[in-house]
Amino acid sequence: MSYHEKEITMTQTIPVVKLSDYREKRIQTAHLLLIKSPHPEKTQRLYSLKGPMILGRKESADIALDDPKLSRHHAQIYTDGKYYYIKDLNSTNGTKVNGEVIKEKRIYQKDSIEIGDCHFEFNVPSLIPYRKEKATSSPRFSLRFSKMISFVKTIFFATLILFSLILLYTSATRPFKTIRTPQSISVSSDQAQSRVRLFYEIASQAYTEADYEKARHFVQEARNLDTKRWESERLDRLDQSIDQALVLKQVYLEKQKSREEKYKILSQVQFYFDVAQKFVEMGELDRAVITYQEALMTDPDNEEIKKAILNIDQLKSKPVASQKVSEKLSTLEIYQQVESFMKKAKKLLEEENYIGAIESYQKALQIAKQHNFQVTKVAAPLMEAINEFKSKTKALWVEVDTLSQAQKYNEAKEKVIQLLKINPNFEPASLKLKEFNSLLEKQAKHLYSQAVMYEALPDIEAAKEKWESILSLLTPEDSYYQKAQKKLTYYASF
């Protein structure tokens, strides 16, 4: 008995239709339907799966999705010709199918796929069996018929193109006849003249209100309509007035800006000058010199500061009346004193204590001057220390400014503390430190409110992250630091 035949009697059989007489026809390609996304306007989108498709955050992915939780190449969907599969490409946050984390899995109709914050529904192609139809005509007849249809189409489109070209040529060579009545010309002229006057009035009003851009715009609009030059003189005068006003405004703004910058520099110099005068009154001449030098960094051409530094040098060179030398020092003892101060200065430089090093060098220089020793050996390292002190202060201050503009206040605060350690008398750094402390306290307050919200959800791990961030921002003396520390200690016991 044949596989494709079914026996009814010993003499009669009924043929059974072979399975090969049917074939599967694909009505549509497989696709993904975006159900949930971080961007609600992009939901309900269809992504056709015509071949192996990579899903990810990078633009080079076949299906690129704007989701920060996705990896660049997150997952891949492919087919072996019969079934569809999804494979995770070692992503950071993983891939889920129907809520189950997978590495590679076959997917079925209406399966839910989750990657990051994006949820998809997988739909396989619709498959409809249909019966083979018998050919009703011979291949030769079908070929002739298709050639005839193609020839008719070609003749039709050629005729259409030729007719279009004839129309274009006729319209280009035949002049247009337009008839305008004198009444219509006079009416349009009156309207144009009234609009020119209206634009002129608007431009004049804008000029009186110092809105020069608006005034210039309406002057130009009036010129475009003023073909018969009804208001040409008035428009020219107004245009010239606008030009002069814009030039005066620019000059005023530049002067105002230079005046503000000059005032800022003078106020900084005056601050340093007052601090240096206090040091002079207290007898701390070395610290006064350092403060004057900081003022010179702000205004290098200030002659008054240069004179003040020379006056301090003269004060240092004068012998103190109350100082009595009980016994005359030997040359060896003087040399040993100078060397002692210089060694101390070098050690302080290694510790980046520039102020102490400069003071030690200055004491060594003062002893050398009093006893007519060669001062070059002392003056050269002194100048090197001062220059290094200036450059270090300037470099740190530039770093502070850069980090502050980038809103990296915690790192900027560390640089300010380092700067104040080198130069404790640098007043702008002290003010900047207060500003950073205030900003960091506001950040800590915001983080603490977020931590309280996570604690109430409850999401203790997220709350712990916020509390730890507060500890990295503030010092132990701050109240929010202490609150965060208590919370972390409490939850550490669980």
Side-chain angles (χ1 to χ4, degrees):
M1 185 181 296
S2 173
Y3 176 77
H4 301 293
E5 295 177 343
K6 184 177 179 181
E7 184 175 6
I8 302 300
T9 63
M10 296 298 291
T11 60
Q12 184 181 6
T13 59
I14 298 175
V16 178
V17 179
K18 295 181 181 179
L19 187 61
S20 59
D21 287 343
Y22 290 85
R23 70 183 179 88
E24 295 176 342
K25 181 180 178 182
R26 181 164 298 182
I27 301 302
Q28 60 183 11
T29 59
H31 62 268
L32 292 177
L33 174 63
L34 182 58
I35 298 172
K36 181 182 177 184
S37 171
H39 307 282
E41 69 276 7
K42 294 184 179 180
T43 55
Q44 301 303 317
R45 284 193 177 184
L46 287 176
Y47 296 93
S48 180
L49 304 175
K50 297 180 179 179
M53 306 291 280
I54 293 177
L55 294 80
R57 176 167 46 87
K58 198 172 182 181
E59 292 181 357
S60 61
D62 298 310
I63 300 177
L65 302 164
D66 186 10
D67 186 352
K69 292 186 180 180
L70 293 184
S71 301
R72 290 186 178 90
H73 290 160
H74 196 101
Q76 183 185 29
I77 295 179
Y78 64 95
T79 179
D80 59 359
K82 189 175 181 181
Y83 304 111
Y84 280 83
Y85 301 87
I86 184 167
K87 180 179 180 182
D88 185 76
L89 301 178
N90 297 323
S91 62
T92 304
N93 294 320
T95 303
K96 293 181 179 179
V97 175
N98 297 327
E100 178 187 355
V101 179
I102 57 94
K103 287 295 180 183
E104 186 172 9
K105 185 178 180 180
R106 178 184 167 187
I107 49 179
Y108 298 85
Q109 172 77 357
K110 300 296 182 180
D111 273 358
S112 173
I113 299 172
E114 300 176 27
I115 53 172
D117 287 335
C118 296
H119 292 190
F120 295 91
E121 181 184 276
F122 172 73
N123 291 290
V124 297
S126 298
L127 299 175
I128 298 177
Y130 76 105
R131 195 182 184 96
K132 284 186 176 180
E133 296 179 358
K134 294 182 179 180
T136 58
S137 60
S138 65
R140 184 177 298 178
F141 175 80
S142 177
L143 182 61
R144 287 179 181 177
F145 183 75
S146 63
K147 285 183 178 180
M148 185 182 297
I149 294 294
S150 177
F151 178 74
V152 171
K153 285 182 179 178
T154 304
I155 294 296
F156 174 76
F157 284 114
T159 307
L160 186 63
I161 292 169
L162 182 62
F163 184 70
S164 300
L165 290 173
I166 292 171
L167 284 178
L168 285 172
Y169 176 77
T170 305
S171 62
T173 55
R174 187 177 179 181
F176 291 100
K177 294 182 180 180
T178 56
I179 301 173
R180 295 182 180 178
T181 61
Q183 184 179 0
S184 64
I185 296 173
S186 62
V187 170
S188 62
S189 299
D190 292 340
Q191 289 178 350
Q193 189 173 3
S194 62
R195 291 185 69 183
V196 168
R197 289 174 181 171
L198 176 63
F199 287 155
Y200 175 79
E201 291 175 1
I202 295 173
S204 301
Q205 183 66 26
Y207 175 76
T208 56
E209 295 173 356
D211 191 351
Y212 303 119
E213 296 299 329
K214 180 180 177 181
R216 171 153 288 175
H217 169 73
F218 280 101
V219 166
Q220 189 61 40
E221 291 288 335
R223 285 189 188 279
N224 294 336
L225 291 173
D226 192 14
T227 55
K228 295 192 175 182
R229 304 182 66 81
W230 297 299
E231 303 287 344
S232 60
E233 293 182 3
R234 296 173 69 187
L235 289 173
D236 289 339
R237 287 198 300 270
L238 182 57
D239 205 5
Q240 290 175 3
S241 301
I242 292 170
D243 288 337
Q244 293 174 0
L246 286 172
V247 171
L248 291 173
K249 183 179 179 181
Q250 185 66 26
V251 172
Y252 172 77
L253 290 175
E254 290 177 356
K255 286 183 178 180
Q256 186 71 14
K257 186 177 179 180
S258 62
R259 192 181 297 118
E260 289 176 357
E261 290 177 353
K262 188 176 180 181
Y263 175 77
K264 185 178 179 180
I265 292 171
L266 288 175
S267 61
Q268 289 182 357
V269 169
Q270 187 62 40
F271 171 77
Y272 288 123
F273 194 83
D274 294 339
V275 173
Q277 288 293 328
K278 290 180 181 178
F279 285 140
V280 171
E281 293 172 1
M282 294 165 61
E284 298 182 6
L285 302 180
D286 296 331
R287 297 182 70 180
V289 170
I290 292 171
T291 308
Y292 279 132
Q293 288 169 348
E294 289 176 353
L296 277 178
M297 289 171 64
T298 307
D299 186 9
D301 299 326
N302 196 308
E303 296 295 332
E304 187 177 358
I305 297 173
K306 294 177 182 178
K307 290 179 182 179
I309 293 174
L310 292 174
N311 292 334
I312 290 177
D313 289 338
Q314 291 176 3
L315 287 173
K316 286 182 178 181
S317 62
K318 290 181 180 180
V320 183
S322 61
Q323 186 180 2
K324 295 181 181 180
V325 181
S326 58
E327 56 182 2
K328 190 174 181 180
L329 298 174
S330 65
T331 304
L332 179 60
E333 290 174 336
I334 295 168
Y335 177 78
Q336 288 175 346
Q337 284 187 2
V338 171
E339 285 294 319
S340 174
F341 280 118
M342 290 188 69
K343 286 181 181 178
K344 183 180 178 182
K346 289 178 181 177
K347 186 176 179 181
L348 291 170
L349 275 177
E350 292 174 358
E351 299 172 357
E352 291 190 344
N353 187 353
Y354 293 99
I355 294 178
I358 291 170
E359 289 177 354
S360 297
Y361 276 130
Q362 287 174 340
K363 288 177 182 178
L365 184 62
Q366 187 176 1
I367 294 171
K369 282 182 178 180
Q370 287 177 357
H371 297 281
N372 297 323
F373 268 54
Q374 187 178 4
V375 297
T376 308
K377 189 176 179 181
V378 184
L382 172 61
M383 291 306 299
E384 288 178 5
I386 291 173
N387 291 332
E388 187 179 350
F389 174 65
K390 288 181 182 178
S391 62
K392 190 77 173 179
T393 301
K394 188 175 181 180
L396 284 172
W397 188 242
V398 169
E399 287 186 36
V400 169
D401 188 50
T402 304
L403 291 170
S404 177
Q405 290 179 2
Q407 296 184 353
K408 297 180 179 179
Y409 302 121
N410 200 21
E411 297 176 23
K413 179 183 175 181
E414 293 176 1
K415 293 294 180 182
V416 169
I417 293 171
Q418 186 180 350
L419 175 57
L420 288 173
K421 185 179 178 182
I422 294 171
N423 189 358
N425 302 316
F426 193 57
E427 188 63 22
S430 301
L431 297 174
K432 207 70 175 176
L433 182 61
K434 292 179 182 178
E435 180 185 346
F436 288 151
N437 284 333
S438 176
L439 290 169
L440 290 172
E441 189 172 356
K442 288 180 181 178
Q443 285 186 0
K445 186 177 180 180
H446 181 65
L447 288 170
Y448 192 82
S449 63
Q450 288 182 339
V452 170
M453 181 186 69
Y454 283 125
E455 186 183 13
L457 283 176
D459 188 352
I460 305 303
E461 293 300 323
K464 283 182 179 180
E465 290 180 6
K466 300 299 180 183
W467 289 322
E468 288 170 357
S469 300
I470 292 172
L471 296 184
S472 65
L473 291 176
L474 302 177
T475 56
E477 294 80 15
D478 192 87
S479 60
Y480 282 104
Y481 182 98
Q482 295 170 3
K483 289 179 181 179
Q485 186 67 50
K486 286 181 181 178
K487 289 287 186 181
L488 287 171
T489 305
Y490 173 75
Y491 282 106
S493 58
F494 288 94

